[in-house]
């Protein structure tokens, strides 16, 4: 079972965090700090897997973003790399050449998409088509619901 | 600003832009505070806030939280959003709650109600949202509140596939967080059939849930084996086009394959021959595919393919039954060892460690030894080198030990600091385990100290000493080698310790050669003395006193050293004490006595290597599942025993200072503990009795010799073993036979004091546990057991609970109530266990509850005494012992002892005033037993004759045995 997933920039800014096991906020911050430092200090050709406490860390860099997952000892490292890749593909397909800014400005979408791919730390749906279909259905519902405050936001309310 | 997807909350996007434009942290905080104030006032004042606005503000709060700021309001608004009919509002509400509301929030009841409403509704997209929220939080309250709804969704015929997927994983989450809250029901029997589901996504999700259930109850779900095998078989034999979107970079359903392969690792190889054959075919197909040319150059293709391959290899290793598959797996991994992908090399090394433990593939793994050694030397990533070390350790056996140990030693010179300590342990273990020739072993350990002295832990050098002492064929060689090693101008302190110890024991074996004569040896050791820590100096002083015995010709030189101000008046009390006592010892005793006291160490009892225990503790996964590991897990011996120095310390004749004191304590009132601690007592017994101020009077010295003799007859009291007692426990216990209060045990961590009171057949005893450290002692557990069937017949003990932690510097008290049912000979044993900075500690002590405590003194005149004495004339009623006095016979002291023993001292009863006559009544629940005692001292012979008569069989013998320890 995946314990958590962190997305952070090369500058160490956390962009997304997903915790599949309960921790106190203080602990989450501590873990995040520790891992960001650890992963950023690694050189490009190094192994993508690390032992960390009782867990295994699997990380991969895409452009300016690091995707970092913590999995349990019996979990499969290589396949975790591909979970990350599938997630990146989904984001990419949805946003159209995803970049860090997309994730900053649409962070809630990034969370919704992750919930379709992984649930409770386990792979739920690996079909790209099915995930995107689910997200498209959500967007469709959004468009049908005329936002009441929409005009206000545009200074017309 | 990039395009905002979906409905686009413009206000949110503007806010995010603002934050991003902030030039400083201060500006960002200012902007956030402004926004928080705005949102707060909106939530408070504006009653007409519509759903969209609520959603927008909740989303802003979420963003602020994710930036790392605390959010203390808005939760209620988020909960309100859950009951909105608009999907997007509900969705943001659920997101906020998943991220921000902890399991114990007050609003949880409302949240669960909203979830239940959504689950009951017919809208699958709402059901999915609710399930995702449960899976994200997974609290006990949710498990209890929704334990019926979710399983129902999972097996119901009209649930759509995507909801089934979410339901399966949500249920898994709840089973993990609160397994006992989910009622088992009819759904369980149907669950394994989800492996046959048409929809690959459903199977993928269900496989994880099934694995969890199987782990708890493999028997009940045994049917899943054949289902999983057939599903797996269909996947591996399908072409990549068959599975459409579930094919990932030309690999059919890698995630499902891996989950199925893992599920099967919970079972032994299938019994049904058809299933077994089919599974073997699957595994072979996977191995074959690894040899096929890749269908794509993309790393995703090879990762997915190899992920399945590694999992298949895990299953092959788990089944450990098909030599053909094991060897094929090993060859495949061998190829990966030289792959250009670092990730694959890493995983291959790791996986091979497991293969090395199988008898079928051990030899095949050994073929790759050269490659692994090259990896150790050339890999650029330390985590890969670490794996190479692990594999070398795992593949080592008698045939290649010399080479592997040699390579590891060589690598150690340049090894990363982060892995040195572990490497040292591994080298030490391999050298010991596979040594045919112990001179090689000694060389290896001394090399370890030379190369990586700082990383050689105490366990390692203790162990080499244990082994040298136990094997006389290697002692001369060891002495010669350490002597040479000490010649180096700068040698590590650990080398000085080993050198000091070994020369102190066996220096005579090399003294024949004038180049290493006695004076040369001494000068060599002493030249290091001033550079060493007090602990090492203490050890060297002990080596010096041993030299006095080995080499009488240099006695005067050594005495001068002991006499020097630097030692005799050293600020360190332990060094001072050793110097003074050793000097006295060497001055006043005859050569015979000296030779007895300082004779060679007796062999250590054979036990598991403490180094292995240490490695296991450090890195449980890195110790291959050899037989030795299984043994220890079975007997649950804590990895590292009470105190490191106890392990090395058998009953020694040399360092008996603390022993001597423990018996003088009987006469000297127990003062407050002095500064010296057992850890300084490097060579010695690790006897945790408290060192009192040096008492070098003649009495003290005599005691010293007495304990020497009594000690050698009771060697079991030393060392801490599962069955045995902690060091010094027996002596401390004896002190309590004639008194009720005092310190029972003390070491660096803990002081244990005892207070007790008795009335007839009832007793109360308080034990005080004092934490001497500056850390909390965790998982503090006390267990009292009575040897044999004492509990049924002799003593009934009631133990008040003692709490799990002892704070730094604090003392906790525990009360025991004990009733004497009938006579008993053995005292109950108390086992104290706790965690000190992560290490399990264990102390076993005898609880000082002895039969004489239940005696009440009785007064009577001479007439009555002799009448009764004569009446108790059957042999089973009497016990007589002749005892050698352990201290000069002193009338008043003996009298005090008898009173402490709870019997009266009757005056003018015995015609000889020197004799003692005593009487008492032993109260047991079942009956009262009359006790008469006569003690006749003989000052000339320093002997006592002790006679006890009692009105019940066995009692006299028990009391006699107890009393004789006190004289």
């Amino acid at each position: 079972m995946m314990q958590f997933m962190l997305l952070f920039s090369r500058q160490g800014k956390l962009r997304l965090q997903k915790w599949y096991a309960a921790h106190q906020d203080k602990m989450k911050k501590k873990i995040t700090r520790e891992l960001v430092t650890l992963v950023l200090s690694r050189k490009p050709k190094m192994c993508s897997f690390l032992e960390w406490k009782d867990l295994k860390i699997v990380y991969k860099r895409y452009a300016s973003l690091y995707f970092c997952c913590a999995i349990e000892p019996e979990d499969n490292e290589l396949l975790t790399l591909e979970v990350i890749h599938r997630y990146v593909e989904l984001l990419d397909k949805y946003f159209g050449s995803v970049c860090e800014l997309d994730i900053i400005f649409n962070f809630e979408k990034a969370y919704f998409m992750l919930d379709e791919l992984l649930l409770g730390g386990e792979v739920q749906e690996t079909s790209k088509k099915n995930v995107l279909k689910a997200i498209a259905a959500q967007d469709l519902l959004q468009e049908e619901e005329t936002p009441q405050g929409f005009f206000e936001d545009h200074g017309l309310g | 600003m990039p395009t905002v997807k979906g409905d686009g909350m413009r206000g949110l996007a503007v806010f995010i832009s603002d934050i991003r434009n902030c030039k400083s942290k201060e500006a960002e905080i200012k902007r956030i505070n402004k926004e928080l104030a705005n949102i707060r006032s909106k939530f408070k004042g504006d009653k007409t806030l519509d759903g969209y606005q609520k959603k927008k503000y909740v989303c802003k709060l979420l963003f602020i939280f994710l930036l790392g700021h605390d959010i203390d309001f808005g939760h209620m608004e988020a909960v309100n959003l859950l009951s909105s009919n608009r999907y997007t509002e509900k969705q943001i509400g659920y997101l906020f709650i998943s991220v921000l509301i902890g399991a114990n929030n007050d609003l949880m009841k409302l949240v669960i109600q909203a979830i239940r409403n959504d689950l009951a509704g017919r809208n699958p997209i709402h059901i999915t949202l609710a399930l995702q929220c449960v899976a994200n939080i997974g609290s006990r309250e949710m498990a209890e509140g929704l334990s019926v709804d979710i399983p129902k969704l999972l097996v119901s015929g009209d649930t759509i596939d995507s909801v089934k997927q979410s339901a399966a994983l949500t249920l898994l989450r709840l089973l993990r967080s609160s397994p006992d809250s989910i009622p088992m029901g009819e759904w369980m029997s149907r669950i394994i059939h989800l492996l046959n589901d048409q929809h690959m996504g459903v199977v993928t999700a269900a496989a994880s849930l099934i694995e969890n259930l199987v782990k708890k109850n493999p028997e009940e779900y045994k049917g899943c084996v054949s289902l999983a095998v057939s599903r797996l078989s269909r996947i591996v034999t399908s072409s990549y086009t068959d599975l459409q979107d579930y094919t990932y970079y030309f690999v059919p359903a890698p995630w499902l394959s891996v989950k199925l392969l893992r599920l099967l690792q919970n079972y032994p190889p299938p019994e049904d021959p058809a299933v077994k054959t089919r599974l073997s075919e699957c595994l072979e197909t996977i191995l074959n595919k690894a040899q096929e040319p890749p269908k794509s150059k993309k790393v995703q293709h090879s990762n997915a393919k190899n992920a399945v391959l590694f999992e298949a290899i895990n299953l092959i290793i788990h089944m450990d039954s098909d030599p053909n598959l094991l060897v094929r797996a090993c060859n495949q991994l061998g190829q990966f060892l030289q792959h250009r992908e670092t990730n694959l090399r890493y995983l291959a090394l790791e996986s091979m460690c497991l293969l090395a433990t199988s008898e079928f593939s051990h030899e095949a793994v050994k073929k790759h030894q050269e490659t692994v050694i090259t990896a150790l030397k050339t890999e650029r990533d330390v985590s890969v080198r670490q794996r190479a070390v692990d594999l070398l350790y795992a593949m080592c056996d008698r045939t290649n030990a010399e080479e592997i140990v040699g390579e590891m030693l060589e690598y150690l010179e340049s090894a990363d600091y982060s892995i040195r300590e572990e490497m040292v342990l591994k080298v030490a273990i391999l050298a010991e385990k596979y040594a045919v020739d112990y001179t090689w072993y000694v060389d290896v350990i001394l090399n370890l100290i030379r190369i990586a002295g700082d990383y050689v832990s105490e366990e390692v050098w203790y162990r080499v000493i244990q082994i040298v002492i136990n094997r006389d064929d290697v002692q001369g060689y060891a002495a010669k080698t350490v002597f040479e090693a000490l010649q180096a101008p700068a040698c590590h302190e650990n080398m000085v310790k080993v050198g000091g110890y070994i020369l102190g024991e066996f220096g005579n074996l090399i003294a024949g050669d004038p180049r290493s004569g006695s004076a040369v040896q001494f000068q060599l050791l002493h030249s290091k003395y001033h550079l060493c820590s007090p602990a090492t100096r203490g050890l060297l002083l002990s080596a010096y006193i041993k030299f006095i015995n080995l080499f009488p010709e240099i006695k005067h030189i050594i005495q001068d050293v002991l006499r020097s101000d630097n030692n005799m008046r050293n600020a360190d009390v332990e060094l001072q004490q050793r110097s003074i006592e050793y000097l006295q010892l060497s001055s006043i005793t005859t050569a015979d006595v000296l030779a007895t006291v300082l004779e060679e160490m007796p062999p250590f009892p054979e036990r598991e290597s403490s180094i292995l225990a240490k490695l296991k503790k450090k890195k449980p996964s890195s110790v291959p599942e050899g037989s030795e590991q299984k043994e220890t897990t079975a007997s649950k011996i804590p990895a590292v025993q009470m105190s490191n120095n106890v392990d090395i310390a058998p009953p020694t004749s040399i360092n008996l200072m603390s022993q001597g004191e423990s018996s003088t304590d009987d006469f000297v009132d127990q003062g407050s503990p002095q500064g010296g601690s057992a850890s300084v007592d490097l060579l010695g017994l690790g006897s945790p009795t408290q060192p009192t101020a040096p008492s070098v009077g003649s009495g003290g010295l005599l005691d010293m010799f007495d304990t020497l003799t009594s000690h050698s007859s009771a060697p079991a009291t030393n060392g801490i073993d599962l069955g045995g007692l902690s060091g010094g426990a027996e002596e401390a216990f004896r002190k309590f036979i004639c008194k009720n209060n005092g310190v029972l045990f003390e070491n660096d961590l803990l002081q244990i004091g005892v207070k007790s009171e008795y009335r007839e057949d009832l007793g109360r005893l308080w034990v005080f546990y004092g934490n001497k450290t500056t850390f909390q002692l965790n998982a503090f557990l006390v267990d009292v057991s009575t040897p044999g069937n004492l509990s049924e017949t002799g003593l009934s003990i009631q133990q008040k609970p003692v709490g799990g932690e002892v704070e730094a510097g604090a003392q906790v008290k525990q009360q025991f109530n004990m009733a004497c049912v009938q006579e008993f000979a053995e005292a109950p044993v108390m086992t104290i266990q706790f965690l000190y900075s992560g290490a399990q500690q264990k102390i076993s002590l005898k609880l000082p509850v002895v039969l004489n405590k239940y005696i009440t003194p009785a007064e009577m005149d001479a007439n009555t005494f002799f009448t009764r004495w004569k009446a108790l004339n059957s042999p089973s009623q009497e016990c007589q012992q002749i005892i050698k006095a352990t201290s000069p016979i002193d009338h008043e002291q003996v009298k005090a002892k008898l009173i402490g023993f709870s019997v009266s001292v009757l005056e003018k009863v015995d015609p000889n005033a020197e004799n003692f006559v005593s009487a008492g009544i032993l109260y047991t629940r079942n009956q009262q037993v009359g006790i008469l005692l006569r003690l006749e001292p003989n000052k000339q012979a320093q002997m006592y004759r002790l006679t006890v008569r009692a009105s019940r069989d066995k009692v006299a013998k028990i009391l006699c045995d107890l009393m004789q320890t006190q004289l």
Side-chain angles (χ1 to χ4, degrees):
Chain A
M1 169 194 165
M2 190 181 288
Q3 297 284 309
F4 54 84
M5 183 192 264
L6 303 173
L7 263 67
F8 48 87
S9 68
R10 237 167 4 149
Q11 290 74 36
K13 282 243 185 216
L14 192 60
R15 295 304 181 200
L16 183 137
Q17 45 175 319
K18 186 77 188 180
W19 303 85
Y20 294 109
H23 292 285
Q24 298 288 321
D25 284 344
K26 227 171 110 187
M27 195 59 191
K28 288 181 186 171
K29 285 186 182 167
K30 187 170 167 268
I31 293 174
T32 307
R33 258 199 317 275
E34 209 172 298
L35 280 178
V36 168
T37 322
L38 187 66
V39 170
L40 288 180
S41 69
R42 311 247 322 152
K43 296 191 188 77
K45 281 280 170 189
M46 283 186 165
C47 178
S48 310
F49 317 130
L50 286 173
E51 280 187 346
W52 182 77
K53 311 218 162 138
D54 299 336
L55 300 175
K56 298 195 284 201
I57 302 296
V58 176
Y59 71 94
K60 185 156 181 177
R61 184 178 152 183
Y62 286 86
S64 61
L65 270 187
Y66 282 89
F67 290 70
C68 172
C69 301
I71 54 174
E72 291 178 312
E74 63 275 14
D75 289 322
N76 193 304
E77 294 98 332
L78 285 174
L79 214 49
T80 306
L81 273 182
E82 296 319 303
V83 169
I84 294 176
H85 187 75
R86 177 108 292 185
Y87 184 43
V88 173
E89 283 182 344
L90 288 168
L91 293 169
D92 200 60
K93 197 89 184 165
Y94 182 73
F95 289 108
S97 305
V98 67
C99 69
E100 196 181 334
L101 280 184
D102 291 320
I103 295 173
I104 297 173
F105 278 93
N106 299 284
F107 68 93
E108 79 282 12
K109 284 284 168 203
Y111 277 102
F112 297 149
M113 215 160 331
L114 190 55
D115 273 348
E116 296 292 329
L117 176 65
L118 292 173
L119 192 61
E122 300 286 356
V123 172
Q124 172 173 231
E125 179 54 87
T126 66
S127 158
K128 199 153 61 171
K129 244 184 246 166
N130 287 354
V131 174
L132 290 171
K133 216 160 64 188
I135 300 287
Q138 294 175 10
D139 283 348
L140 200 68
L141 278 174
Q142 268 178 348
E143 277 157 30
E144 283 168 1
E145 298 165 356
T146 321
Q148 289 174 1
F150 185 73
F151 296 106
E152 183 200 78
D153 264 357
H154 289 262
L156 301 169
Chain B
M1 208 190 321
T3 32
V4 178
K5 290 294 254 185
D7 68 334
M9 289 171 279
R10 194 164 178 275
L12 174 66
V14 170
F15 174 60
I16 296 175
S17 287
D18 282 359
I19 296 288
R20 287 182 53 75
N21 291 333
C22 286
K23 294 276 181 286
S24 65
K25 192 82 197 162
E26 289 72 34
E28 183 186 306
I29 291 172
K30 212 173 141 199
R31 178 69 186 85
I32 285 170
N33 285 338
K34 188 180 148 203
E35 194 62 39
L36 285 175
N38 174 41
I39 299 172
R40 210 188 292 265
S41 77
K42 292 278 186 197
F43 280 166
K44 260 203 185 135
D46 205 341
K47 290 277 178 274
T48 62
L49 217 56
D50 64 31
Y52 169 77
Q53 285 166 320
K54 263 190 216 160
K55 175 181 87 168
K56 184 178 71 182
Y57 293 132
V58 164
C59 211
K60 280 183 181 176
L61 288 179
L62 188 54
F63 180 77
I64 294 170
F65 176 78
L66 291 170
L67 279 177
H69 301 269
D70 293 333
I71 296 294
D72 55 3
F73 68 102
H75 302 71
M76 197 58 208
E77 283 73 13
V79 173
N80 285 340
L81 286 178
L82 297 186
S83 40
S84 165
N85 285 324
R86 291 176 189 281
Y87 177 73
T88 53
E89 289 165 17
K90 203 185 265 292
Q91 195 182 24
I92 294 291
Y94 272 125
L95 178 61
F96 183 93
I97 283 158
S98 301
V99 175
L100 256 130
I101 294 194
N104 300 321
N105 196 287
D106 306 336
L107 297 174
M108 199 43 85
K109 280 212 164 50
L110 292 174
V111 174
I112 291 177
Q113 192 47 51
I115 289 172
R116 191 175 286 132
N117 292 343
D118 278 334
L119 289 180
R122 309 292 295 171
N123 188 343
I125 206 155
H126 289 183
I127 297 179
T128 307
L129 274 185
L131 287 174
Q132 285 171 348
C133 179
V134 176
N136 281 323
I137 297 177
S139 68
R140 168 165 288 274
E141 217 177 334
M142 283 181 164
E144 282 161 2
L146 303 165
S147 60
V148 182
D149 314 54
I150 295 174
K152 216 193 285 170
L153 276 174
L154 182 59
V155 290
S156 156
D158 50 356
T159 308
I160 66 164
D161 292 332
S162 66
V163 172
K164 265 191 199 167
Q165 285 169 268
S166 301
L169 292 176
T170 304
L171 187 56
L172 168 60
R173 172 67 203 256
L174 295 180
L175 281 170
R176 276 179 178 152
S177 56
S178 29
D180 45 329
S181 318
I182 310 288
M184 300 295 144
E186 183 235 5
W187 59 273
M188 299 182 71
S189 57
R190 293 165 64 179
I191 204 113
I192 59 169
H193 296 286
L194 287 174
L195 290 175
N196 267 335
D197 201 283
Q198 293 282 316
H199 190 279
M200 292 288 277
V202 171
V203 191
T204 309
S208 297
L209 172 64
I210 294 169
E211 201 202 347
N212 178 283
L213 293 168
V214 158
K215 275 197 169 17
K216 281 189 213 115
N217 198 347
E219 202 47 39
E220 179 152 0
Y221 297 96
K222 226 163 76 180
C224 76
V225 172
S226 64
L227 291 172
V229 170
S230 72
R231 189 88 208 197
L232 182 68
S233 165
R234 270 179 281 157
I235 295 170
V236 298
T237 54
S238 67
S239 91
Y240 62 87
T241 48
D242 293 353
L243 299 173
Q244 296 163 353
D245 212 31
Y246 287 93
T247 293
Y248 181 85
Y249 289 86
F250 303 102
V251 182
W255 280 280
L256 180 53
S257 306
V258 165
K259 284 187 182 185
L260 293 171
L261 288 163
R262 260 184 66 175
L263 177 60
L264 292 170
Q265 286 172 54
N266 291 291
Y267 289 97
E271 284 156 20
D272 180 340
V275 179
K276 193 174 177 178
T277 314
R278 205 162 177 199
L279 179 56
S280 297
E281 283 165 7
C282 284
L283 296 170
E284 272 175 30
T285 311
I286 294 170
L287 285 168
N288 292 341
K289 281 190 179 174
Q291 295 298 325
E292 288 170 13
K295 293 194 173 63
S296 156
K297 285 210 162 63
K298 288 227 158 75
V299 68
Q300 283 75 32
H301 172 67
S302 86
N303 277 354
K305 192 164 123 179
N306 292 327
V308 177
L309 175 65
F310 274 107
E311 208 58 59
I313 293 177
N314 283 344
L315 179 57
I316 291 171
I317 296 170
H318 166 79
M319 297 196 299
D320 198 16
S321 60
D322 187 337
N324 172 43
L325 285 176
L326 282 160
V327 170
R328 283 195 65 187
C330 186
N331 295 341
Q332 183 58 54
L333 293 176
Q335 288 180 22
F336 285 156
L337 287 182
Q338 309 196 46
H339 202 280
R340 59 186 169 82
E341 278 275 328
T342 315
N343 289 344
L344 283 182
R345 296 197 302 275
Y346 176 95
L347 293 174
L349 288 166
E350 187 178 61
S351 207
M352 264 204 181
C353 271
L354 293 174
L355 277 177
T357 59
S358 164
E359 53 168 322
F360 300 116
S361 48
H362 183 81
E363 287 304 315
V365 171
K366 276 167 65 185
K367 289 194 190 117
H368 303 284
Q369 187 177 319
E370 286 316 309
T371 321
V372 181
I373 287 171
T374 316
L376 182 65
K377 289 174 174 165
T378 57
E379 281 291 349
R380 281 186 295 173
D381 185 347
V382 57
S383 43
V384 185
R385 292 196 291 272
Q386 163 87 60
R387 291 283 87 86
V389 172
D390 290 347
L391 178 53
L392 284 177
Y393 178 74
M395 68 162 68
C396 193
D397 60 23
R398 211 170 283 283
T399 64
N400 56 12
E402 214 155 316
E403 193 185 346
I404 286 180
V405 165
E407 293 288 351
M408 284 171 87
L409 270 177
E410 195 189 317
Y411 173 64
L412 196 55
E413 305 218 24
S414 58
D416 310 76
Y417 294 113
S418 56
I419 62 174
R420 281 194 183 188
E421 189 185 351
E422 199 187 312
M423 279 197 74
V424 167
L425 289 176
K426 287 187 164 158
V427 169
I429 290 166
L430 292 178
E432 179 186 338
K433 201 164 160 192
Y434 299 118
V436 187
D437 173 4
Y438 276 86
T439 59
W440 174 71
Y441 169 75
V442 169
D443 285 339
V444 169
I445 302 296
L446 293 185
N447 270 327
L448 274 182
I449 298 176
R450 201 159 29 221
I451 296 167
D454 284 343
Y455 298 90
V456 174
S457 53
E458 289 178 331
E459 286 84 352
V460 173
W461 73 262
Y462 286 173
R463 190 67 185 164
V464 71
I465 286 173
Q466 287 182 5
I467 286 179
V468 169
I469 286 176
N470 288 10
R471 316 198 126 254
D472 40 20
D473 53 335
V474 78
Q475 288 159 354
Y477 181 80
K480 181 167 153 286
T481 320
V482 292
F483 178 77
E484 281 160 9
L486 286 171
Q487 310 276 347
C491 62
H492 196 273
E493 189 161 332
N494 281 336
M495 188 70 88
V496 178
K497 289 177 184 163
V498 176
Y501 203 109
I502 288 183
L503 291 180
E505 294 294 328
F506 310 114
N508 55 327
L509 300 177
I510 57 167
D513 186 330
R515 286 168 300 178
S516 54
S518 55
V520 185
Q521 283 182 40
F522 175 71
Q523 291 307 341
L524 182 62
L525 277 183
H526 199 54
S527 67
K528 317 283 181 195
Y529 186 82
H530 305 280
L531 303 169
C532 290
S533 66
T536 308
R537 288 193 203 181
L539 185 151
L540 286 178
L541 288 177
S542 300
Y544 296 170
I545 185 74
K546 288 233 154 183
F547 270 179
I548 290 185
N549 178 44
L550 293 181
F551 312 123
E553 68 275 16
I554 56 167
K555 178 173 171 179
H556 59 284
I557 310 179
I558 292 172
Q559 283 180 332
D560 285 346
V561 169
L562 293 174
R563 206 178 281 123
S564 73
D565 281 356
N566 187 26
N567 285 327
M568 206 123 101
R569 300 192 181 173
N570 196 296
D572 187 300
V573 68
E574 177 69 26
L575 291 182
Q576 204 183 92
Q577 183 177 349
R578 287 196 190 201
S579 309
I580 294 169
E581 292 181 342
Y582 290 165
L583 185 61
Q584 288 293 319
L585 180 65
S586 66
S587 318
I588 40 182
T589 51
T590 63
D592 277 0
V593 173
L594 202 60
T596 319
V597 176
L598 300 172
E599 85 189 328
E600 194 180 296
M601 297 281 284
F604 288 82
E606 287 300 331
R607 56 168 76 131
E608 187 199 28
S609 161
S610 53
I611 314 177
L612 199 59
K614 178 162 171 146
L615 182 67
K616 277 180 207 160
K617 195 181 112 215
K618 210 172 136 63
K619 234 182 146 216
S621 59
S622 72
V623 180
E625 293 253 355
S627 55
E628 73 271 305
Q629 187 175 17
K630 278 173 194 146
E631 276 164 31
T632 32
T633 36
S635 54
K636 291 239 166 32
I637 298 170
V640 166
Q641 308 278 15
M642 249 323 287
S643 139
N644 291 334
N645 53 349
V646 178
D647 234 75
I648 189 176
T652 156
S653 32
I654 169 154
N655 194 331
L656 33 90
M657 297 313 166
S658 42
Q659 295 288 310
E661 280 143 30
S662 65
S663 70
T664 43
D665 278 351
D666 289 348
F667 305 98
V668 181
D669 192 30
Q670 284 214 339
S672 57
Q674 304 282 323
S677 70
S679 67
V680 187
D681 195 16
L682 267 173
L683 256 188
L685 301 158
S687 158
T689 49
Q690 45 188 33
T692 49
S695 52
V696 190
S698 57
L701 206 56
L702 275 169
D703 283 339
M704 216 158 76
F705 297 126
D706 287 327
T707 19
L708 169 72
T709 41
S710 68
H711 195 76
S712 54
S713 64
T717 57
N718 208 292
I720 298 168
D721 235 307
L722 195 61
L725 293 176
S726 298
E730 188 70 41
E731 288 88 332
F733 169 76
R734 272 189 227 132
K735 285 189 280 181
F736 282 87
I737 293 177
C738 288
K739 62 180 199 171
N740 286 340
N741 307 327
V743 174
L744 180 64
F745 175 85
E746 180 155 13
N747 67 5
D748 288 350
L749 308 180
L750 204 62
Q751 185 189 53
I752 301 177
V754 168
K755 242 176 103 165
S756 57
E757 60 181 42
Y758 295 86
R759 199 160 163 264
E760 301 188 339
D761 63 327
L762 299 176
R764 264 190 304 194
L765 183 135
W766 295 271
V767 181
F768 299 83
Y769 309 94
N771 179 353
K772 290 170 68 181
T773 71
T774 51
F775 298 97
Q776 194 186 47
L777 304 179
N778 295 315
F780 198 91
L781 259 177
V782 178
D783 186 46
V784 170
S785 62
T786 45
N789 57 355
L790 194 90
S791 55
E792 296 152 34
T793 54
L795 191 64
S796 122
I797 302 182
Q798 212 193 350
Q799 172 182 5
K800 294 271 160 73
V802 62
E805 272 82 39
V806 184
E807 296 299 331
Q811 192 182 57
V812 296
K813 180 167 97 168
Q814 185 180 24
Q815 186 179 332
F816 295 88
N817 293 331
M818 302 142 316
C820 179
V821 182
Q822 65 174 58
E823 77 278 355
F824 60 94
E826 291 291 327
V829 173
M830 168 163 79
T831 311
I832 301 153
Q833 296 187 71
F834 55 94
L835 288 171
Y836 169 63
S837 63
Q840 177 75 47
Q841 309 283 343
K842 180 172 169 157
I843 303 170
S844 295
L845 299 170
K846 272 196 197 174
L847 207 56
V849 183
V850 283
L851 189 62
N852 62 287
K853 301 287 182 193
Y854 294 95
I855 299 175
T856 306
E859 295 295 329
M860 57 187 71
D861 57 32
N863 224 345
T864 327
F865 183 88
F866 285 109
T867 318
R868 294 198 180 165
W869 182 265
K870 281 177 197 141
L872 298 172
N873 60 0
S874 95
S876 63
Q877 288 172 326
E878 187 194 85
C879 179
Q880 189 172 76
Q881 288 181 8
I882 308 292
I883 305 152
K884 186 157 186 4
T886 55
S887 58
I889 296 173
D890 179 301
H891 191 83
E892 285 311 304
Q893 268 180 10
V894 176
K895 187 173 167 185
K897 290 259 156 187
L898 286 170
I899 292 170
F901 199 70
S902 319
V903 290
S904 60
V905 175
L906 304 174
E907 304 288 346
K908 302 195 180 81
V909 172
D910 199 288
N912 181 347
E914 291 292 311
N915 291 351
F916 298 91
V917 218
S918 302
I921 300 161
L922 171 68
Y923 285 86
T924 69
R925 188 183 292 166
N926 301 340
Q927 67 175 117
Q928 295 176 11
V929 183
I931 309 290
L932 301 173
L933 178 149
R934 190 173 190 213
L935 182 66
E936 300 152 280
N938 179 337
K939 277 190 180 165
Q940 282 73 43
Q942 286 289 307
M943 303 276 232
Y944 294 101
R945 182 163 71 181
L946 172 66
T947 316
V948 179
R949 289 190 177 185
S951 61
R952 185 174 157 86
D953 291 2
K954 292 188 220 152
V955 172
K957 170 88 171 81
I958 297 172
L959 292 176
C960 203
D961 286 345
L962 286 169
M963 188 63 209
Q964 65 108 2
T965 64
Q966 302 298 307
L967 296 168

